[in-house]
Amino acid sequence: MNPGIFLIQNNEELVEMNEQAYDSEKLLQSWLAKYPALLVGNQIDAKEPRRWLFIEQECAVPSEEGGAGRWAIDHLFLDQDAIPTIVEVKRSTDTRIRREVVGQMLDYAANAVTHWPVAHMRERFAANCESARIDPEERLREFLEEELEPEEFWQRADRNLRDRNIRLLFVADVIPTELQRIVEFLNDQMDKTEVLAIEIKQFVGEQGLRSLVPRVIGQTSEAQQKKSSAPRAARSWDEETLLQAVEEKRGVDEANVVRRLLDWSKQHVTRLTYGRGAIDGSFSPLVEYEAEHPFIPFIFYTYGKVEIMFKRMKVRHEPFTSDEKRLELLHRLNRIPGVDLPEDGINRRPSISLTSLLNPDAFKEFTHIIEWTIQEVISSKDNVRAQGSS
């Protein structure tokens, strides 16, 4: 038995918590689905901590093309680089954890990369979000943190599967020495597939207090160097490459609209930022009227869409935190010929097609509306500051 840990509560009372085995394997499985952070992404990659998008629990894996599920993976996640991450959970009391679980995991991986269409991941992710009453599109955009467009994320997941660029995680309360040695060996030998174990110990104290302490096992220095040197599927965009991509994909006329949009942005916002998408580029105009949350009225993507950032406004920027004010903005935009944003778009990130801005009058009206939006946000902030100083 390992030494316990000690918790100092708010009332300064010291509570001793002792290591305790899990009552069941399903308990640990349920916690991983609810708290993906237990997979300690900062220990897996300290420079770029991994974040986890939960896809499904008990995810079926077929043994032939189009076949029914022969196996069931305990958990399937995707990280922010769309790397499929397969998790198998065992308790230390299960004798299979020493050797059999390795063959089981390799069966899952070998068949998943061959017979798993990425469409299945998308369907299961959407189904699980909807069962939890969560909008799958909004959940994915929140996870991606505006660095990647959802469609490109799924395309990247598909490429990762085809390239065997996946991650295998063995999770248990105690990782036995035999399993640790196998994990280290596999992680050293496999160039594209990362193989790790995560030990999640449970400590229990009085009044039902519980603490979970995760630790990543299997990262030899050789494996870490090999994995960290693998190129990330990302690209640095700038004005020149963005305009070139639009011209190639959408034509000269639409590229000229983007050039005008960039020129307008340079005159009316603090700075521009460019995306890191491997396939599609993007740019965002930022109004840095406060350090913590710059105002981003829209994001342009090279596939010809201008997304209006209603959702971000709703949670971060007065006066557009009110539904009425966001509806006013939506109705103003809908007066532009060719623009027809749905009213429930005020809680999402609906997009305007670049073709709607080809007409010079339409472009002028769009930029006037964005100028009004920026001024409303700045005025609201100035009013708050004035009230605070009075």
Side-chain angles (χ1 to χ4, degrees):
M1 181 70 67
N2 286 341
I5 60 176
F6 296 88
L7 173 68
I8 300 177
Q9 300 189 100
N10 290 337
N11 61 5
E12 297 191 356
E13 180 181 348
L14 186 70
V15 177
E16 181 177 1
M17 305 179 73
N18 296 302
E19 186 180 343
Q20 182 175 304
Y22 293 99
D23 294 334
S24 70
E25 189 175 292
K26 289 189 178 299
L27 179 62
L28 182 53
Q29 290 176 346
S30 66
W31 281 343
L32 286 174
K34 189 175 182 180
Y35 309 114
L38 289 170
L39 297 178
V40 282
N42 60 335
Q43 290 187 33
I44 291 175
D45 188 336
K47 292 182 179 179
E48 293 187 55
R50 299 294 88 192
R51 295 181 288 107
W52 311 108
L53 182 71
F54 177 64
I55 303 299
E56 188 176 25
Q57 190 170 347
E58 297 295 328
C59 185
V61 180
S63 59
E64 59 185 7
E65 192 71 30
R70 179 175 175 181
W71 301 279
I73 290 173
D74 286 340
H75 301 83
L76 174 63
F77 295 89
L78 290 171
D79 72 8
Q80 68 264 41
D81 289 320
I83 296 175
T85 300
I86 297 172
V87 178
E88 181 65 17
V89 179
K90 288 284 187 289
R91 283 197 299 167
S92 57
T93 53
D94 189 335
T95 57
R96 295 174 298 171
I97 195 175
R98 283 163 172 77
R99 290 187 183 87
E100 291 179 38
V101 69
V102 177
Q104 186 179 17
M105 179 73 94
L106 293 177
D107 265 341
Y108 296 163
N111 286 278
V113 297
T114 305
H115 305 305
W116 242 0
V118 76
H120 174 77
M121 288 189 193
R122 299 183 70 161
E123 291 169 2
R124 299 316 306 154
F125 169 70
N128 280 300
C129 284
E130 288 164 4
S131 67
R133 298 182 179 179
I134 298 172
D135 184 322
E137 179 183 350
E138 292 303 317
R139 172 68 188 101
L140 180 55
R141 289 192 179 279
E142 178 185 2
F143 171 75
L144 294 176
E145 297 181 344
E146 300 172 6
E147 291 191 358
L148 198 64
E149 199 275 328
E151 189 60 36
E152 183 174 350
F153 178 77
W154 292 115
Q155 291 175 11
R156 188 178 292 186
D158 185 54
R159 289 196 304 273
N160 284 332
L161 276 174
R162 287 188 278 108
D163 293 343
R164 274 58 174 170
N165 184 21
I166 63 174
R167 181 182 295 110
L168 311 179
L169 299 181
F170 299 90
V171 176
D173 53 335
V174 177
I175 301 297
T177 303
E178 297 94 326
L179 178 58
Q180 179 175 340
R181 288 172 181 163
I182 295 172
V183 166
E184 289 174 350
F185 175 80
L186 291 174
N187 204 28
D188 280 342
Q189 298 302 312
M190 303 177 88
D191 292 336
K192 295 184 178 180
T193 299
E194 188 170 35
V195 184
L196 297 170
I198 300 180
E199 188 175 76
I200 305 179
K201 293 185 179 294
Q202 174 184 233
F203 294 84
V204 177
E206 298 174 357
Q207 302 174 350
L209 290 173
R210 192 186 311 269
S211 177
L212 304 178
V213 182
R215 177 173 70 102
V216 171
I217 294 171
Q219 287 182 317
T220 65
S221 57
E222 181 179 348
Q224 283 182 303
Q225 184 176 3
K226 185 185 300 182
K227 269 42 172 190
S228 64
S229 63
R232 298 282 185 198
R235 173 181 177 182
S236 295
W237 292 84
D238 56 24
E239 180 174 340
E240 181 180 354
T241 55
L242 193 84
L243 290 170
Q244 182 181 354
V246 176
E247 185 169 335
E248 290 174 354
K249 294 180 179 182
R250 311 287 303 176
V252 175
D253 289 343
E254 291 193 27
N256 287 334
V257 175
V258 178
R259 185 175 286 105
R260 293 175 63 198
L261 201 55
L262 284 163
D263 291 342
W264 175 89
S265 297
K266 292 173 189 176
Q267 297 175 25
H268 292 86
V269 304
T270 311
R271 64 185 175 95
L272 302 180
T273 62
Y274 294 88
R276 296 168 51 242
I279 297 174
D280 289 301
S282 63
F283 87 85
S284 308
L286 274 63
V287 180
E288 296 173 305
Y289 71 101
E290 62 178 359
E292 187 176 358
H293 299 303
F295 179 54
I296 304 175
F298 65 85
I299 297 179
F300 167 76
Y301 290 94
T302 54
Y303 50 81
K305 298 290 186 182
V306 179
E307 290 192 351
I308 309 301
M309 306 297 286
F310 284 109
K311 183 180 179 182
R312 184 183 176 95
M313 296 178 197
K314 177 180 180 179
V315 298
R316 292 181 177 174
H317 299 292
E318 295 282 0
F320 294 98
T321 52
S322 78
D323 291 353
E324 291 78 10
K325 198 67 178 178
R326 295 196 312 284
L327 271 174
E328 181 182 352
L329 171 57
L330 182 139
H331 291 154
R332 283 175 177 246
L333 290 168
N334 278 347
R335 287 198 287 269
I336 299 173
V339 176
D340 186 19
L341 302 178
E343 291 211 347
D344 64 357
I346 65 169
N347 299 313
R348 299 184 288 109
R349 291 171 41 165
S351 61
I352 295 173
S353 173
L354 198 61
T355 56
S356 300
L357 304 180
L358 286 171
N359 182 287
D361 291 336
F363 181 89
K364 184 177 181 180
E365 180 63 19
F366 174 76
T367 54
H368 280 172
I369 293 169
I370 298 301
E371 287 176 36
W372 168 80
T373 307
I374 292 171
Q375 190 55 50
E376 289 290 299
V377 171
I378 293 175
S379 296
S380 177
K381 187 66 177 179
D382 289 344
N383 289 338
V384 171
R385 287 173 178 161
Q387 291 172 8
S389 61
S390 61

